[in-house]
Amino acid sequence: MPMTVCNLKRFWRDDSAAAMIFFGIAIVPLVGAIGVAVDMARWSNATSQTKQAADAAVLAGVSVLRSGETAADAIAVAERVYASNTANRIPLKNDTMAFTVNDQGTSVTAVGDAVLDATALKVLGINELQVVAASNGGYSTAELIASGGGANLEISVMMDVTGSMCDDGQGPCTSSAKLDALKTATNELVDIAVWDDQSQRTSRVALVPFSTRVRVAPNGSGAAIMKQLTNLDPTWSGWYRRCTQGAGSGGSESGGSWQCHNYETEFLSDRRVMPCVTDRYIDHGNSYGTTDDAPGPGAWLNAHDGTRRTISADSSDTPLNNGTGATQSDPAHHWNYSSNGACADIAEVNQVVPLSADRSLLSARINGLEAYGSTAGALGTAFSWYMLSPKWKDIWPLDSEPSSYDDLEPTSGQGGPAVRKVAILMTDGVYTTYRSWKDQNQQKVSIFAEDVCTNLK
């Protein structure tokens, strides 16, 4: 028995030793795997920050060229912007990023190498990671588009002014980290893209602020354009089911807690149409409007409450068979008309601006934006397209009419197109709203927006 116990103890000791040997062999690839994860995360972060800093720098540099300053001035500004945007970046082993201006003084390019010193990967013999390399090309370049040549330019900017853009995530607000950044970026775009000389070539920018809805006119002034977009009459009179007692909050990004506790039916006269619109949608077949077709039968935009009541319940011309307000026993319950024709929750300054070369107007609208409401991203995307679509030329003023799609084709003389149409979509969050209805399925609204984008492209 003693011998047996001794042998068992020795066997246990031997087994432990074998396990230790195995662990010693395995720890090298284990450390290597951890090193890959750590260093690749550092590399990805450094690469992203470096490229973004280079983008910002060349844009700043070309803005200086546009103002008539020298190449040296442009390079100095680009260097300062790059240094500022990489100040909090992971320290690099080497960064030789520099900026050049072409001989014509029309473009700024970032050129150089950036290398990150490896940490755990050194166990595997990897001492450094290339962040950017001059030999690979593909550097950030910004080009000054001269008004005397090239193509006309039409840019539509979708601007998220929902409650989540405010620091408290609800709003309303006119200033916050996100909203201020959006305003700065859009102002810089206008400053760069809208040329002083529009005599030979034109460059125009359209603004599409969006939240729960899109505003198309000032309060009380939407009669004409709402008729074009929704076919709703300027005023409405009829029997109405009005809430006389309610409580709670209407909410911003979410639906809120507001509830009506008592309704009364009364006759209302000459209520004015609210100048805000919502997505195109036809209930039959669950059909969303994802084209740039001009507003009309089967393709009307819906109004403030997500319908076209009291004409129809959706974008079609299918008449209502109840809730028309024609009699006291059949009162209407829409939210498309009010006593003063004011949109309920969209600031007046958030009105869309069709294509314009008026920098003062564009800047004033940008600087005054107020954020509040939920995220109808598919509507914002679609409206960005409407600003660029020649099918909508009869909706917008003469000097805001979009060019023909035929002008996008290359010309025989210059090779390039006569016009370039660009849609820029700026948003901070998921899409949760359509037809002014909040808290909808995010995937559903996102697919709706993606379909619009696909058709736009």
Side-chain angles (χ1 to χ4, degrees):
M1 288 295 295
M3 181 64 71
T4 303
V5 172
C6 182
N7 287 340
L8 286 173
K9 289 180 178 179
R10 185 165 60 246
F11 176 79
W12 176 251
R13 288 195 299 269
D14 290 344
D15 181 65
S16 298
M20 290 299 293
I21 293 170
F22 175 77
F23 181 74
I25 295 172
I27 195 158
V28 174
L30 179 62
V31 171
I34 295 173
V36 168
V38 172
D39 276 343
M40 290 308 294
R42 295 174 63 245
W43 172 84
S44 177
N45 183 272
T47 300
S48 175
Q49 286 188 305
T50 301
K51 289 183 177 180
Q52 289 177 12
D55 287 345
V58 297
L59 285 171
V62 84
S63 181
V64 172
L65 292 178
R66 184 183 179 282
S67 66
E69 302 297 323
T70 67
D73 293 328
I75 291 172
V77 169
E79 290 173 344
R80 287 200 302 271
V81 170
Y82 181 77
S84 174
N85 281 277
T86 56
N88 296 320
R89 181 187 58 187
I90 296 171
L92 299 187
K93 180 179 180 179
N94 184 43
D95 183 356
T96 62
M97 191 70 70
F99 301 90
T100 63
V101 175
N102 66 354
D103 293 340
Q104 293 75 34
T106 59
S107 69
V108 179
T109 301
V111 179
D113 293 288
V115 177
L116 176 68
D117 194 21
T119 56
L121 276 177
K122 290 183 178 179
V123 174
L124 302 180
I126 301 174
N127 295 319
E128 60 184 35
L129 297 169
Q130 196 83 38
V131 174
V132 291
S135 58
N136 293 338
Y139 277 99
S140 300
T141 297
E143 184 174 356
L144 181 64
I145 305 174
S147 59
N152 293 333
L153 189 60
E154 297 174 2
I155 302 175
S156 180
V157 186
M158 181 187 87
M159 311 174 74
D160 187 334
V161 289
T162 61
S164 62
M165 293 291 286
C166 298
D167 289 335
D168 65 359
Q170 292 294 321
C173 70
T174 57
S175 179
S176 67
K178 292 180 182 178
L179 190 60
D180 292 348
L182 179 146
K183 292 180 179 182
T184 298
T186 311
N187 270 318
E188 289 180 355
L189 170 69
V190 169
D191 187 51
I192 292 170
V194 179
W195 308 315
D196 291 323
D197 182 6
Q198 301 272 331
S199 61
Q200 300 298 316
R201 298 289 181 181
T202 61
S203 60
R204 297 175 293 166
V205 172
L207 304 178
V208 182
F210 83 95
S211 53
T212 313
R213 304 167 179 86
V214 165
R215 175 184 279 276
V216 295
N219 291 335
S221 303
I225 191 168
M226 288 299 288
K227 184 66 176 178
Q228 288 180 292
L229 299 181
T230 68
N231 202 31
L232 286 175
D233 291 331
T235 61
W236 176 82
S237 300
W239 291 96
Y240 189 76
R241 184 171 179 256
R242 183 172 67 89
C243 179
T244 57
Q245 182 181 4
S249 170
S252 175
E253 282 294 319
S254 62
S257 59
W258 191 88
Q259 289 184 327
C260 184
H261 301 302
N262 187 65
Y263 288 95
E264 292 183 4
T265 298
E266 61 182 334
F267 190 84
L268 301 179
S269 298
D270 297 324
R271 308 289 282 189
R272 302 167 74 180
V273 69
M274 299 182 184
C276 285
V277 294
T278 55
D279 313 79
R280 297 197 234 216
Y281 185 86
I282 300 175
D283 286 328
H284 180 68
N286 198 37
S287 176
Y288 294 87
T290 60
T291 73
D292 65 333
D293 291 342
W300 297 110
L301 271 70
N302 284 295
H304 195 281
D305 73 355
T307 72
R308 294 170 50 246
R309 293 180 181 273
T310 57
I311 295 177
S312 180
D314 56 19
S315 298
S316 72
D317 280 322
T318 304
L320 295 173
N321 53 26
N322 58 64
T324 62
T327 65
Q328 187 173 7
S329 61
D330 184 32
H333 49 84
H334 58 77
W335 195 23
N336 293 327
Y337 292 86
S338 65
S339 59
N340 58 357
C343 293
D345 55 1
I346 311 294
E348 281 194 279
V349 73
N350 288 7
Q351 180 183 333
V352 297
V353 180
L355 290 169
S356 173
D358 186 339
R359 282 194 206 148
S360 296
L361 169 65
L362 293 167
S363 180
R365 292 293 184 85
I366 293 166
N367 293 333
L369 289 172
E370 176 181 293
Y372 182 71
S374 58
T375 313
L379 173 65
T381 304
F383 235 92
S384 300
W385 188 5
Y386 303 157
M387 293 295 188
L388 301 173
S389 172
K391 298 179 182 179
W392 281 61
K393 68 178 184 178
D394 293 334
I395 303 296
W396 311 126
L398 183 62
D399 59 356
S400 296
E401 287 186 6
S403 302
S404 168
Y405 283 143
D406 291 339
D407 293 335
L408 295 172
E409 299 298 324
T411 59
S412 57
Q414 297 178 339
V419 65
R420 298 184 186 276
K421 295 178 182 281
V422 181
I424 300 174
L425 312 179
M426 296 197 289
T427 178
D428 78 320
V430 294
Y431 296 165
T432 60
T433 300
Y434 64 85
R435 295 183 75 186
S436 80
W437 302 345
K438 303 175 183 179
D439 301 328
Q440 301 304 305
N441 181 278
Q442 297 173 6
Q443 188 63 38
K444 184 175 183 178
V445 186
S446 294
I447 290 173
F448 181 12
E450 288 175 1
D451 289 343
V452 174
C453 278
T454 298
N455 292 337
L456 185 158
K457 289 187 288 187

